[in-house]
Amino acid sequence: MKSLDISEVSQRSGLKPSALRYYEDLGLIQSDGRKGLRRQYDDTVLERLALISLGRSAGFSLKEIHSIFQNEGRFELDRDRLRAQARMVEQQIRRLRILARALNHVSDCPAPQHAECPTFRKMMQKALGQSVRP
Amino acid sequence: MKSLDISEVSQRSGLKPSALRYYEDLGLIQSDGRKGLRRQYDDTVLERLALISLGRSAGFSLKEIHSIFQNEGRFELDRDRLRAQARMVEQQIRRLRILARALNHVSDCPAPQHAECPTFRKMMQKALGQSVRP
DNA sequence: TGTTGACCTCAATCTGGCTTGAAGTTGCAC
DNA sequence: GTGCAACTTCAAGCCAGATTGAGGTCAACA
C-alpha cells in the first residue's frame, strides 16, 4: 500500500493536481490522509481515476459517475443499474462503430460529394436511427 | 431536394432550433436559403446533423468536427486526416469496451470490494494503459 | 535553521455548448 | 387585410468541468 503524493498521482493519471482536488471536492476520490497539509493517496486511486476517465469518455457526467461509486469507496451493489450502464456503453460503442466506418469510408470513397454516395447515405440513415440523444 | 423548415429539422434531428442556429453560427451547417426571414434547409442537413451527433458522442468538440468538414460543405479530402480520426474513434471504442466489461464484471462479481478482485484489477491496469488522454 | 518549492484553501474566472428572453418580423389561415 | 404562431436577431445567462491567482503553510534539503 504505497503512498503517493498529488504530483505523482497527477503524473501517472494524466490529470492536473487542480483536477484531482476538484474530484476530491466532488467526492469522486479520497486522499488517504495528509502529510502535514499535503494529500497522500493510496495507489488504488489510480484505478479509480482510470475508471473515471473511462466513464467520462463514455459520455457520463461526473455526477453520474459519482452515483455509480457509492457506499464509501465500494462500488454500489445495484447490479441492475450497473448492467443498465453497461448497456448504455454498448449502445455508444455501436454509434462509434458507425462513425469509424463513416470516416474510413469517406477517406476511401471516390465520390466527389458524399451526399451523392449511396453507401454513405445508407450509413447516415443508420446513424440517424442510433443517434437520438437528449 | 425537399425543403425543410427549422422546426421540422429540429423534430427530425432531435436538436432544438436554438442549437441549429448555434451550429449555423459556427459554420457547421448551412441553411439553404430563406423564405422571408425563415431558414429553409435541404434535407441532406439531417445526415450532416447525424454525423455531428455521432462526432459529439465520440467526444469530439464542435471545433474539431468543424475542421473535419471543410471545403464548403464537402467533406475535406485530407484522407490521412480522416483515417487518423477514424483511428481515434477506434481507440475510443477499445476504451469503451473495457468500460462495458468492467461494469458487467462489477455487476456480477461477488467480491465485496473491487479493489480486492484480481479480475477487476487486471481490467483497470489495462484501462490505465488505454486511457491516457490530455 | 533558514529558505524554497511544492503543496494548501477559497473565490473568481474561463471555455464549451447551448438556452433564454426581449423586442421585432412575417407566412399563412381565416 | 388581419391576427397570430412561428419565426428572426442579439445579448445575456446557465451549467459542467475545470483552471487560475492570491495569499498562506510546511517538509526537506543545504
Side-chain angles (χ1 to χ4, degrees), chain A residues 45-56:
Chain A
V45 81
L46 293 170
E47 289 173 1
R48 186 174 266 256
L49 289 169
L51 201 49
I52 293 170
S53 289
L54 283 171
R56 290 284 298 129

Side-chain angles (χ1 to χ4, degrees), chain B residues 8 14-15 18-19 27-29 36 40-41 45-47 49 60 79 95 97 103-104 111 115-116 123 126 128 132:
Chain B
E8 194 162 359
L15 293 161
S18 60
L28 284 166
I29 58 174
Q40 294 300 117
Y41 295 93
V45 81
L46 294 170
E47 289 172 1
L49 289 169
F60 293 109
R79 303 184 187 283
R95 281 197 288 262
R97 275 212 271 263
L103 290 168
N104 280 315
E116 291 161 9
M123 277 188 307
K126 197 164 170 188
L128 274 171
V132 181

Side-chain angles (χ1 to χ4, degrees), chain A residues 12-14 43-44 46-51 53-60 68 72-80 82-83 85-87 89-90 92-93 95-115 120-121 124-125 127-128 130-134, chain B residues 12-14 43-44 46-51 53-60 68 73-80 82-83 85-87 89-90 92-93 95-115 120-122 124-125 127-128 130-134:
Chain A
R12 292 174 55 180
S13 65
D43 60 4
T44 62
L46 293 170
E47 289 173 1
R48 186 174 266 256
L49 289 169
L51 201 49
S53 289
L54 283 171
R56 290 284 298 129
S57 73
F60 294 110
I68 302 176
E72 289 134 43
R74 279 168 221 114
F75 297 102
E76 83 168 343
L77 295 176
D78 182 342
R79 302 183 188 284
D80 291 344
L82 290 170
R83 267 190 283 265
Q85 301 271 13
R87 274 195 295 279
V89 173
E90 284 154 7
Q92 171 73 348
I93 289 172
R95 282 197 288 262
L96 292 186
R97 276 210 271 262
I98 294 170
L99 178 59
R101 276 203 291 131
L103 290 169
N104 280 316
H105 172 77
V106 172
S107 78
D108 292 334
C109 178
Q113 288 230 206
H114 278 84
F120 184 74
R121 294 188 65 105
M124 286 301 96
Q125 287 313 313
L128 273 171
Q130 296 286 329
S131 71
V132 181
R133 305 164 19 94
Chain B
R12 292 175 53 180
S13 66
D43 59 4
T44 61
L46 294 170
E47 289 172 1
R48 187 174 266 255
L49 289 169
L51 202 48
S53 289
L54 282 170
R56 291 283 298 127
S57 73
F60 293 109
I68 302 177
R74 279 169 222 112
F75 296 103
E76 82 169 346
L77 295 177
D78 181 344
R79 303 184 187 283
D80 291 344
L82 289 170
R83 266 190 284 265
Q85 300 271 12
R87 273 195 296 279
V89 173
E90 284 154 7
Q92 172 72 349
I93 289 172
R95 281 197 288 262
L96 292 187
R97 275 212 271 263
I98 294 170
L99 178 58
R101 277 203 290 131
L103 290 168
N104 280 315
H105 171 76
V106 172
S107 78
D108 292 335
C109 177
Q113 289 230 205
H114 278 82
F120 185 74
R121 293 188 66 105
K122 216 168 134 195
M124 286 302 96
Q125 286 314 311
L128 274 171
Q130 295 287 328
S131 72
V132 181
R133 304 163 22 90

Side-chain angles (χ1 to χ4, degrees), chain A residues 14 18 57 66 115:
Chain A
S18 60
S57 73
H66 183 251

Side-chain angles (χ1 to χ4, degrees), chain A residues 30-48:
Chain A
Q30 278 108 312
S31 50
D32 202 42
R34 300 277 180 127
K35 187 184 283 176
L37 279 184
R38 304 179 184 204
R39 290 162 174 82
Q40 296 298 118
Y41 295 93
D42 177 322
D43 60 4
T44 62
V45 81
L46 293 170
E47 289 173 1
R48 186 174 266 256

